[in-house]
Amino acid sequence: MQLWDAFAAVFCSWKNARAVTYRRLHNIPIDWVTAVNVQAMVFGNMGDDSATGVAFTRDPATGDYALYGEYLVNAQGEVVVAGIRTPQQMNVAGKLAHRSKLPAMEEVMPEVFQKLNAVRHSLEKHYGDMQDIEFTVQRGKWYMLQTRVGKRTASAALKIEDCVRYGG
């Protein structure tokens, strides 16, 4: 029942005044329709083998080609955004740089860390730019929720551009 209600809400929203005005202002044909994506939920709050986090394919401050980011064990995304708990670093180098006493993902979830590290190489090669990756780990299995071009400092942008262009 909940799924059908969600479908109905999406299709009904297509007909509301705001949506109609938006389509008119942006020259979107009236005969186009909307779509509904259905996907399974994953949960990062199912115990010590679950987590949620954000990673970058490069350090967004320096442009260095190293996995960079933070995660929280046994948490959902809203906990990360709310700042309720202190996040942990992805790798040992980040842990040392931030003088954290909390274990890095590389230490406590090495298989997940290796998967994420492998995927970052593929994403950057495919998109030709640094990526910002949101992910969840549910009972030891890594799920990528989304990726997008990552924000970075101006100096990092110059370094990344050179690396992408000249293969560094």
Side-chain angles (χ1 to χ4, degrees), residues 88-139:
Q88 295 164 243
Q89 298 300 308
M90 298 300 300
N91 55 33
V92 174
K95 173 185 166 180
L96 295 173
H98 288 88
R99 294 186 172 103
S100 175
K101 292 185 172 127
L102 299 171
M105 178 181 274
E106 184 177 18
E107 297 172 304
V108 295
M109 296 181 177
E111 299 85 13
V112 171
F113 179 82
Q114 290 305 319
K115 174 71 174 175
L116 179 53
N117 204 32
V119 168
R120 88 176 169 100
H121 294 296
S122 298
L123 288 171
E124 193 161 299
K125 183 176 179 183
H126 177 79
Y127 290 107
D129 203 349
M130 182 183 96
Q131 295 294 296
D132 170 344
I133 306 163
E134 291 184 25
F135 65 91
T136 292
V137 179
Q138 179 178 301
R139 298 209 164 126

Side-chain angles (χ1 to χ4, degrees), residues 56-60 62-68 91 117-125 129-131 159-160 163-164 167-168:
F56 294 85
T57 57
R58 293 178 183 263
D59 184 322
T62 65
D64 290 342
Y65 194 58
L67 187 61
Y68 182 91
N91 55 33
N117 204 32
V119 168
R120 88 176 169 100
H121 294 296
S122 298
L123 288 171
E124 193 161 299
K125 183 176 179 183
D129 203 349
M130 182 183 96
Q131 295 294 296
K159 183 173 186 174
I160 292 167
C163 290
V164 170

